[in-house]
Amino acid sequence: MYHDTFDLTTCARCASRSGPCLAGLAFLQHLSMSLGAARKVTGTMPDMDGQVVFTECHACDRCVLNWRATAGELELAGADQVLLQGRVVAQALQ
């Protein structure tokens, strides 16, 4: 049995804090599981995009980021930079 996870390939610093966007990373990890589940039903990875709003961000009151999923590749970006990139990978459950 397989479980889809997010494999991070690029990580940039958030402009509002001194490190990576941890909320964004958690979001992409959950999104990769959903996209993997959709692939199991349809046979192909869906291409989608959207916007996510983090209201619990410690760096600012309201953080709006854009996300995109294309051919199993995921990206989360702010207004002027890509914060996180990676891909959905299937891992065997142990």
Side-chain angles (χ1 to χ4, degrees):
M1 179 176 237
Y2 289 93
H3 175 72
D4 293 287
T5 62
F6 179 65
D7 182 31
L8 182 66
T9 57
T10 303
C11 180
R13 288 179 178 242
C14 171
S16 299
R17 54 176 280 151
S18 61
C21 178
L22 299 178
L25 182 58
F27 170 76
L28 290 180
Q29 288 170 336
H30 281 74
L31 181 61
S32 66
M33 289 187 288
S34 298
L35 293 172
R39 176 177 51 195
K40 290 173 188 164
V41 172
T42 65
T44 59
M45 187 70 67
D47 291 345
M48 304 169 68
D49 61 69
Q51 197 172 66
V52 61
V53 179
F54 298 112
T55 57
E56 301 285 329
C57 180
H58 297 291
C60 60
D61 290 333
R62 187 173 186 267
C63 182
V64 180
L65 299 174
N66 298 309
W67 62 271
R68 180 175 60 191
T70 305
E73 299 288 323
L74 299 178
E75 177 180 287
L76 186 68
D80 59 348
Q81 73 172 345
V82 173
L83 295 172
L84 301 164
Q85 280 183 316
R87 61 185 177 274
V88 178
V89 294
Q91 292 185 341
L93 291 176
Q94 296 182 16

